[in-house]
Amino acid sequence: MERTWRWFGKNDKITLAMLKEIGIEGIVTALHDVPLGQVWTREKIHELKTYIESFGMRWSVVESLPVTETIKYGGPDRDQQIEVYKESLRNLSAEGIHIVCYNFMPVLDWARTNLLHENPNGSSNLYFSIPEFAYFDIHILKREGAKESWAAFKVLGPDGKPNGRDILKEVDALAKTMTPEKDHALVENIVIKTQGFVSGNFKEGDKHPVALFRKLLALYDGISKDQLRENMRYFLSAIMPVCNEGDMYMCVHPDDPPFQVLGLPRIVTCDDDIKWFLNAVNDKHNGLTFCAGSLSAGAQNNLPELARKYANRTWFVHLRSCYVFPNGDFTEASHLGGRANIIELCRIFEQEEQQRRDNPHVARLPMRVDHGMTMLGDEDKGYNAGYSFLGRMFAMGQLQGVIATVDNEQGISYHQPGFFD
């Protein structure tokens, strides 16, 4: 697999020169300076692509070309926004960039309640506490029906079975310990620090992020899972002619976490969901980003089984792993631990890569380590949440070793670029 890295543009504190030194081949990025809903011009794409190539790497994957909320909930300007999206796809294809990772998650791109949860070895990871998130929903967001939805929520343990956890009882106990400072930290973690640099809807310094959050949620009033599925089918059907014309590979990112939150429907969480959207628009250009981290946070998912089943429609891989605690909370795990079984995933995807050598645009399967531990001073550098440098470099080193071993098992020649050539 092609070793790639998510890079947040020229303002990223992690530079391309640094990434070249650690053996990164491809860059996963976006035009972060283009406002939501505007066309990505060929000129701006070309400028960034040329800059990346000047460091000896290539722009491998767009992550992401955002699908605006109006497309997701089916707003009055949906068709106009789809036309904007199609024009951006044409411009990307013209510049030789053919893989687009996107998501169809309403409002919330991904969610964690603690961004620096301490590990036994002194490093830290992202963490999702179900009662803390429910507290945010009930007591801070004050969403109508929140208490009832959490009362009905079935928490799954590591075995994939409901564990009988009483979330409301835990929320009531938690409420007695919370302070305005703790409430503020929870809002920062859920709304600002994990969303602003991804979705563009929120930013540091927003005076009323919870009020804005409520307005975005209101757009989905009455939108069921079936309706959101239909909106996704509508979008994919509309863009597929352009994808076929330009050989553009769309790969949706699974929902993170892979279960319903905030009363919003979630439609990419498990085997049935993946099967549905692939069959709804049965075209090779409609594919999957196999995010092992998101999928492994759902105790209902068997990762190697899903990888084998959908490898031939996977165009991008995120290799990370989550550990689900007996109570149903989860944390990012070591890249060699957790539930994902990343070693077996590498075997599956390295073998799949050999089957697509005749297609130049997807001959290499891009892989990135995704989230990593915060370690050895990463926490002081101002990196985006989950996107440390040393922690991800450590994970990439682990995975390069795994991939080299898997290649050796399969009789594939492994090449580390940048040395003596």
Side-chain angles (χ1 to χ4, degrees), residues 100 102 232-233 235-237 239-240 243-244 248-252 273-289 310 312-315:
V100 176
Y102 71 104
M232 184 181 187
R233 186 205 61 77
F235 166 69
L236 288 170
S237 297
I239 67 170
M240 275 302 113
C243 292
N244 279 282
M248 296 296 294
Y249 293 84
M250 300 295 297
C251 39
V252 71
D273 288 345
I274 297 170
K275 180 167 43 178
W276 181 87
F277 85 79
L278 291 177
N279 289 335
V281 180
N282 194 8
D283 186 300
K284 70 177 183 179
H285 295 99
N286 170 31
L288 174 69
T289 293
Y310 299 112
N312 68 343
R313 292 283 288 275
T314 294
W315 306 120

Side-chain angles (χ1 to χ4, degrees), residues 85-260:
Y85 205 96
K86 287 157 71 172
E87 187 62 23
S88 297
L89 289 175
R90 292 188 186 99
N91 291 337
L92 286 164
S93 175
E95 289 298 320
I97 302 164
H98 293 274
I99 300 176
V100 176
C101 172
Y102 71 104
N103 78 69
F104 220 80
M105 291 179 257
V107 183
L108 202 65
D109 280 323
W110 56 285
R112 299 292 186 273
T113 55
N114 189 339
L115 308 183
L116 292 170
H117 180 77
E118 189 170 345
N119 295 321
N121 67 355
S123 65
S124 63
N125 265 335
L126 305 172
Y127 188 95
F128 187 91
S129 162
I130 296 173
E132 286 186 2
F133 195 89
Y135 170 87
F136 165 80
D137 193 10
I138 296 168
H139 290 283
I140 298 177
L141 192 59
K142 302 184 189 315
R143 180 176 62 87
E144 184 178 352
K147 199 165 187 177
E148 292 76 13
S149 65
W150 285 107
F153 186 79
K154 288 183 170 53
V155 181
L156 302 184
D159 58 0
K161 298 177 182 179
N163 61 12
R165 191 176 187 185
D166 189 337
I167 295 300
L168 291 186
K169 183 177 179 180
E170 293 187 51
V171 169
D172 288 343
L174 182 63
K176 296 174 183 177
T177 70
M178 294 299 284
T179 63
E181 291 74 22
K182 289 180 179 179
D183 281 2
H184 177 75
L186 206 51
V187 170
E188 286 279 303
N189 290 346
I190 294 173
V191 178
I192 300 293
K193 293 181 179 177
T194 56
Q195 305 303 313
F197 70 94
V198 176
S199 69
N201 288 320
F202 307 96
K203 60 182 182 296
E204 294 283 355
D206 274 343
K207 292 184 179 179
H208 306 290
V210 173
L212 174 56
F213 202 74
R214 289 192 189 106
K215 288 181 180 179
L216 290 170
L217 286 177
L219 297 172
Y220 289 87
D221 286 349
I223 301 292
S224 66
K225 179 175 181 176
D226 286 343
Q227 185 60 59
L228 189 62
R229 277 183 165 183
E230 173 55 26
N231 292 350
M232 184 181 187
R233 186 205 61 77
Y234 185 95
F235 166 69
L236 288 170
S237 297
I239 67 170
M240 275 302 113
V242 174
C243 292
N244 279 282
E245 170 193 317
D247 202 29
M248 296 296 294
Y249 293 84
M250 300 295 297
C251 39
V252 71
H253 190 289
D255 298 336
D256 187 1
F259 46 77
Q260 182 171 308

